[in-house]
């Protein structure tokens, strides 16, 4: 019994030591940071001229990245806000819903990005009558997310939303409950927005 008790005490001590080590490691691990960009884009729509759309882009990455290392962001997505005026124009030609997939290019000032984020889902939405429309853009299991490789030297790097943002969309026709295909293209109204904060390279 004494031997079993000693073994049990040793096992408990070992477990406690492992638990303490895990807490210490977790305490020094790099935290995740949300990086955000926002800008006004000029976008193509079916049946109406180019229109302004407020687009935000988001991604999650480490708060610092070792020089020369490669990481893959998560939670890549954003929103596109269609104004009440544009909503009225779409309503006038009979459209009341949207769905599809978006492709968002990302560029780096110093490091490299392996390609655009593609296959970002725009969930099916039938709009309520009137007012602005906020369209969500979400990373899903089938999305293709690029990797980011940091420059060789320590410092900071700026990521920006590339151009154009494109989307393979379907617009819903209220009168006959059908969906019409549309390839949207959006370009920055002034300059491509940068993600904030900058990436810290260590």
């Amino acid at each position: 019994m004494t031997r079993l008790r000693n073994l049990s005490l040793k096992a408990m001590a070992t477990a406690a030591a492992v638990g303490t080590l895990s807490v210490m490691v977790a305490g020094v691990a790099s935290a995740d940071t949300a990086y955000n960009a926002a800008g006004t884009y000029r976008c193509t729509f079916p049946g109406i001229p180019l229109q302004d759309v407020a687009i935000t882009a988001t991604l999650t990455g480490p708060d610092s990245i070792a020089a020369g290392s490669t990481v893959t962001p998560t939670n890549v997505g954003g929103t596109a806000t269609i104004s009440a005026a544009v909503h009225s124009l779409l309503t006038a030609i009979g459209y009341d819903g949207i769905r599809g997939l978006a492709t968002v290019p990302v560029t780096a000032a110093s490091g490299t990005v392996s390609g655009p984020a593609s296959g970002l889902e725009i969930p099916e939405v039938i709009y309520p009558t009137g007012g602005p429309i906020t369209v969500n853009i979400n990373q899903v299991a089938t999305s293709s997310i690029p990797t980011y490789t940091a420059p060789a030297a320590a410092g900071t790097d700026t990521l920006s939303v590339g151009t154009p943002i494109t989307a393979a969309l379907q617009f819903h026709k209220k009168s006959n409950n059908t969906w019409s295909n549309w390839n949207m293209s959006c370009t920055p109204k002034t300059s491509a927005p940068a993600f904030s904060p900058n990436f810290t390279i260590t």
Side-chain angles (χ1 to χ4, degrees):
M1 292 293 290
T2 302
R3 186 168 180 268
L4 288 173
R5 182 174 179 275
N6 288 339
L7 287 173
S8 179
L9 289 172
K10 285 181 180 178
M12 290 173 63
T14 301
V18 170
T20 301
L21 179 60
S22 298
V23 170
M24 290 172 64
V25 170
V28 298
S30 180
D32 286 337
T33 295
Y35 297 88
N36 302 283
T40 301
Y41 281 72
R42 297 282 285 167
C43 297
T44 59
F45 287 88
I48 60 176
L50 281 169
Q51 300 293 328
D52 288 357
V53 176
I55 293 179
T56 67
T58 61
L59 59 86
T60 300
D63 59 2
S64 62
I65 302 166
S69 66
T70 298
V71 297
T72 302
T74 59
N75 301 322
V76 178
T79 61
T81 301
I82 298 169
S83 69
V86 176
H87 186 181
S88 294
L89 292 173
L90 291 172
T91 299
I93 56 175
Y95 292 116
D96 70 341
I98 193 172
R99 65 188 181 191
L101 297 171
T103 297
V104 180
V106 178
T107 63
S110 301
T112 56
V113 180
S114 63
S118 60
L120 301 175
E121 183 184 57
I122 297 171
E124 181 177 314
V125 177
I126 301 299
Y127 316 132
T129 303
I133 303 164
T134 297
V135 177
N136 291 312
I137 305 167
N138 305 317
Q139 178 181 341
V140 293
T142 52
S143 301
S144 177
I145 305 302
T147 58
Y148 165 76
T149 301
T156 60
D157 194 9
T158 300
L159 295 187
S160 298
V161 181
T163 185
I165 295 172
T166 58
L169 300 177
Q170 290 186 314
F171 282 89
H172 185 256
K173 197 80 168 178
K174 185 176 181 179
S175 61
N176 57 9
N177 193 30
T178 59
W179 292 89
S180 301
N181 295 330
W182 179 258
N183 291 317
M184 177 177 279
S185 181
C186 299
T187 55
K189 190 170 184 178
T190 52
S191 58
F195 284 89
S196 179
N198 286 336
F199 275 27
T200 299
I201 314 301
T202 57

